[in-house]
Amino acid sequence: MIPTPEQAWELLCEFNEGEFHRRHARTVGDVMRWFAQELGFGEEAGVWEAVGILHDLDFEQWREEHCVKSQELMRQRGVDEAVVRATASHGYGECVDIAPESQMEKVLFAVDELTGLIGAVALMRPSKSVSDLEVKSVKKKYKDKRFAAGCSREVI
């Protein structure tokens, strides 16, 4: 079964209660949908969005098993193996040996880190929004390795 974005959201909410994780999932899902359309995968935009939503499925409850437990949870629910693999591949080099290979997996690998950085920069602004965020502000914070240190500059 390839989950729709709505089904992916329901599954994510089953294992994630925190607002931060839910908001991050929505953000990554939205950005994945945008990239699917931009890169000529418009007919698969829903799948890309679902992958973005599900990528941290296990993070809130099983941080020490991140990208491993999620595979088990999705397989138990009959989620298509391509979705399972794609979500797990974003942890390449940190928690799994599943290298991003497809275009969708490569985009997820970078988008997860990039949205984290941009989100952290936005939270520093009085508006707490990206709507008035300038690229130069992101670039400045990008150069400061101590800011949002968990966001890999090498991956971005």
Side-chain angles (χ1 to χ4, degrees):
M1 180 259 304
I2 297 178
T4 64
E6 295 77 21
Q7 290 168 325
W9 179 251
E10 287 177 26
L11 181 56
L12 178 89
C13 290
E14 191 176 326
F15 298 104
N16 291 267
E17 295 179 3
E19 179 60 30
F20 174 83
H21 292 114
R22 287 182 176 192
R23 183 176 42 242
H24 176 64
R26 283 276 194 219
T27 299
V28 174
D30 289 345
V31 173
M32 288 295 291
R33 174 177 279 283
W34 184 88
F35 269 107
Q37 293 167 337
E38 270 304 293
L39 297 172
F41 296 93
E43 68 282 353
E44 298 172 26
V47 176
W48 284 47
E49 182 179 356
V51 165
I53 291 169
L54 290 171
H55 82 283
D56 279 344
L57 177 66
D58 58 5
F59 192 77
E60 190 173 296
Q61 291 190 37
W62 298 279
R63 196 169 292 200
E64 68 287 344
E65 296 179 72
H66 183 44
C67 297
V68 175
K69 184 69 174 179
S70 61
Q71 294 177 64
E72 175 188 328
L73 296 170
M74 284 188 263
R75 285 183 180 124
Q76 287 172 350
R77 286 159 177 77
V79 173
D80 187 90
E81 201 57 35
V83 173
V84 173
R85 181 195 150 66
T87 59
S89 73
H90 90 279
Y92 178 67
E94 288 196 28
C95 47
V96 292
D97 291 335
I98 303 169
E101 294 175 357
S102 71
Q103 188 72 38
M104 179 174 60
E105 291 169 353
K106 290 175 183 178
V107 170
L108 176 62
F109 190 66
V111 162
D112 184 32
E113 300 298 321
L114 184 57
T115 58
L117 177 69
I118 293 170
V121 175
L123 287 175
M124 300 298 294
R125 303 190 59 74
S127 68
K128 308 242 185 272
S129 172
V130 296
S131 63
D132 61 348
L133 183 61
E134 296 181 19
V135 173
K136 69 179 181 177
S137 298
V138 176
K139 286 182 173 181
K140 181 178 178 183
K141 292 296 188 182
Y142 173 86
K143 292 176 186 174
D144 180 358
K145 304 291 188 220
R146 295 171 296 155
F147 181 81
C151 297
S152 170
R153 270 54 173 185
E154 293 76 32
V155 170
I156 293 171

